[in-house]
Amino acid sequence: MKNIDCFIAFTGKEETEKVVLELKAVGLVDEVFVIAPEAHYIKGAKVLVTEQPHSTSVMMQIAQNLDAAYALLALHNTPVELGQFAAGRLVQVAENTGAAMVYADYREVKNGRETQHPVIGYQQGSLRDDFNFGPVQLFRSDVLKSFKEENYRFAGYYALRLHASRLGDIVHIPEVLSAMVETDLRKSGEKQFDYVSAGAREKQLEMEKACTTHLKETSAFLSPPFKEADFNADDFPVEASVIIPVRNRETTIRDAVESVLKQITNFPYNLIVVDNYSTDDTTAILEDFAREGKLVHVIPARKDLGIGGCWNEGIFNDKCGRFAVQLDSDDLYAGENTLQVIVDKFYEEKCAMVIGSYRMTNFKLEEIPPGVIDHREWTPDNGANNALRINGLGAPRAFYTPVLREIKVPNVSYGEDYAVGLAISRTWKIGRIYEPVYLCRRWEDNTDASLDVARLNAHNLYKDRIRTIELNARTRKAKGY
């Protein structure tokens, strides 16, 4: 029984005809369609011409041409190959589970070297538009036939898979069922800021709109006004505390500390450094500053703390101020007025959290691409919703201490700031500073400069889980729980 129609991206005439021939040889496959930017003759296939393969109009064309029970989509602009009996396995799992969409692990060919590339399971909170489904996905035909969305140029496929998630499960098969050539050879640390590049603005606005529609459809959408903070609720020893968690940063910690000590403010502040059992000269450097009375040097009693746990040590310290302000041990404040600007923003907007903007630099403080990261996609009306789609909220991050003490920071060393930001945004007003007040230094020892697949998957899995928890909380809130 032929119950699959295939829709693949054009990757060159010879390569595409090879893929078409392989697909037509699969007993389950009926028709093969090629999505191409211009008209071509492809033996054994029908060609659908479009310059935007992920647009709404292409998804609608696929639906119109789909006669089979399932549609196999391979829309990456790179050659793809199905594994042994892969099409049958995709259909088998789809029929056994009733899934709206099925995807699987794959083999990746990079620089002529082939390796396995496992992907992660889809969750309710897998809302980021860069979720990796691998090169091949199988959709039930009714998912495509019922898809009606705005005419997006870039977000059509993204809106389709969100639509699929509302109609049924999106099922991951932890088996290698295809192979693709990877053409983006950059390190993970170079890719992570693609979405904030100037050229991505139109695409990101579309993605935000599609995600917002999905949140409204699933009762997870938040509407202003958001709760304002009352800063007269408690007494504190100082107005603000800069908190630096650190472990083994002898190369950078002195610069970070001195950038705090240079701050000029009209209020008292202090610096709390939580030294997580450094084994290099970091501890000695901090002890010198502490003897001079320039910082509070905290060595936790516990030895099981990640960055989030160190943050908790800082905010629950009796010397912590009314506002707790972040500085990573690798980074610097951009000028001597950063702390003043942040605290002023708290009082100006009566917010429970302030998020700034930063400039990417090398170790010599020379600007490097993508330059200034200002997260202007955050708007007062929709920032709390769009935060569920993007991978970060910005830096530096600052908190009204009583709110952070109530929520607490997850004891992890990745995504802890994102988790806290989402939790705060559910209820509280968040202020934004769009001018760069922070320098994010990229160097070879940055923890996210170059991640392997396993570590990248672990990071993405955690953030998706955080989003899933947050979505459930927002849905329950909408229902009055």
Side-chain angles (χ1 to χ4, degrees), residues 246 253 257 273 275 282-290 295 297:
V246 62
I253 189 60
V257 168
V273 182
D275 181 6
T282 297
T283 299
I285 294 169
L286 294 173
E287 286 174 344
D288 288 343
F289 280 113
L295 57 79
H297 185 198

Side-chain angles (χ1 to χ4, degrees), residues 149-190:
E149 190 59 84
E150 293 193 36
N151 188 24
Y152 297 125
R153 292 182 64 212
F154 307 102
Y157 178 84
Y158 176 59
L160 171 65
R161 61 100 157 171
L162 292 178
H163 172 70
S165 73
R166 299 193 296 271
L167 294 184
D169 292 334
I170 294 182
V171 174
H172 167 228
I173 307 174
E175 302 165 12
V176 175
L177 296 183
S178 64
M180 67 172 281
V181 177
E182 177 56 73
T183 56
D184 188 346
L185 305 180
R186 295 174 299 161
K187 296 179 179 179
S188 60
E190 297 171 333

Side-chain angles (χ1 to χ4, degrees), residues 280-464:
D280 62 4
D281 284 340
T282 297
T283 299
I285 294 169
L286 294 173
E287 286 174 344
D288 288 343
F289 280 113
R291 276 193 295 269
E292 297 172 12
K294 294 182 177 180
L295 57 79
V296 180
H297 185 198
V298 177
I299 299 179
R302 303 186 66 98
K303 295 187 177 181
D304 60 348
L305 300 182
I307 292 174
C310 290
W311 255 93
N312 289 328
E313 292 287 319
I315 63 173
F316 282 98
N317 190 285
D318 58 10
K319 292 183 173 63
C320 186
R322 187 183 314 276
F323 304 110
V325 187
Q326 167 255 341
L327 178 62
D328 286 351
S329 57
D330 291 340
D331 300 333
L332 306 171
Y333 289 146
E336 60 189 17
N337 65 341
T338 291
L339 206 52
Q340 184 70 56
V341 170
I342 290 171
V343 171
D344 287 348
K345 178 61 69 171
F346 274 109
Y347 284 102
E348 176 187 336
E349 298 197 17
K350 298 179 181 178
C351 45
M353 181 178 181
V354 169
I355 306 173
S357 300
Y358 58 97
R359 188 185 308 275
M360 300 290 296
T361 76
N362 58 24
F363 210 65
K364 297 178 181 179
L365 303 187
E366 299 166 333
E367 183 173 316
I368 60 175
V372 174
I373 311 295
D374 56 18
H375 285 283
R376 288 185 181 272
E377 77 280 349
W378 182 287
T379 60
D381 287 345
N382 206 42
N385 296 302
N386 198 32
L388 286 164
R389 181 185 65 86
I390 60 178
N391 280 318
L393 301 181
R397 299 165 292 277
F399 309 90
Y400 180 38
T401 300
V403 171
L404 192 55
R405 283 175 173 173
E406 180 182 348
I407 293 174
K408 302 176 185 64
V409 186
N411 183 25
V412 295
S413 291
Y414 174 81
E416 73 290 337
D417 51 339
Y418 183 67
V420 168
L422 288 182
I424 292 174
S425 71
R426 188 190 323 144
T427 302
W428 297 89
K429 188 175 182 181
I430 293 180
R432 301 297 309 226
I433 298 169
Y434 294 113
E435 297 302 318
V437 293
Y438 190 92
L439 301 179
C440 181
R441 295 193 292 184
R442 308 296 288 181
W443 58 303
E444 59 184 11
D445 282 349
N446 279 129
T447 54
D448 59 354
S450 182
L451 301 177
D452 60 23
V453 171
R455 181 65 63 86
L456 193 61
N457 280 348
H459 284 184
N460 285 330
L461 188 68
Y462 178 71
K463 279 195 173 178
D464 284 356

Side-chain angles (χ1 to χ4, degrees), residues 45-187:
K46 300 177 182 178
V47 177
L48 305 178
V49 179
T50 178
E51 293 183 356
Q52 300 294 340
H54 294 89
S55 66
T56 301
S57 63
V58 169
M59 302 306 118
M60 303 292 277
Q61 286 185 66
I62 290 173
Q64 291 166 5
N65 285 279
L66 176 61
D67 289 326
Y70 296 97
L72 186 147
L73 272 57
L75 301 182
H76 285 278
N77 189 26
T78 182
V80 64
E81 176 186 351
L82 287 184
Q84 182 190 53
F85 302 122
R89 181 59 170 155
L90 290 166
V91 170
Q92 182 184 60
V93 172
E95 291 184 342
N96 287 344
T97 63
M101 172 183 168
V102 177
Y103 65 105
D105 298 344
Y106 62 102
R107 299 190 314 279
E108 178 181 71
V109 182
K110 184 184 293 187
N111 288 326
R113 181 170 174 265
E114 184 174 288
T115 58
Q116 290 196 7
H117 192 127
V119 294
I120 62 176
Y122 193 87
Q123 306 177 48
Q124 182 184 358
S126 299
L127 295 181
R128 52 195 169 83
D129 51 77
D130 62 351
F131 189 95
N132 185 5
F133 292 103
V136 172
Q137 306 88 47
L138 188 79
F139 287 83
R140 277 196 336 243
S141 63
D142 65 288
V143 172
L144 281 148
K145 297 290 187 182
S146 61
F147 177 64
K148 294 178 176 61
E149 190 59 84
E150 293 193 36
N151 188 24
Y152 297 125
R153 292 182 64 212
F154 307 102
Y157 178 84
Y158 176 59
L160 171 65
R161 61 100 157 171
L162 292 178
H163 172 70
S165 73
R166 299 193 296 271
L167 294 184
D169 292 334
I170 294 182
V171 174
H172 167 228
I173 307 174
E175 302 165 12
V176 175
L177 296 183
S178 64
M180 67 172 281
V181 177
E182 177 56 73
T183 56
D184 188 346
L185 305 180
R186 295 174 299 161
K187 296 179 179 179

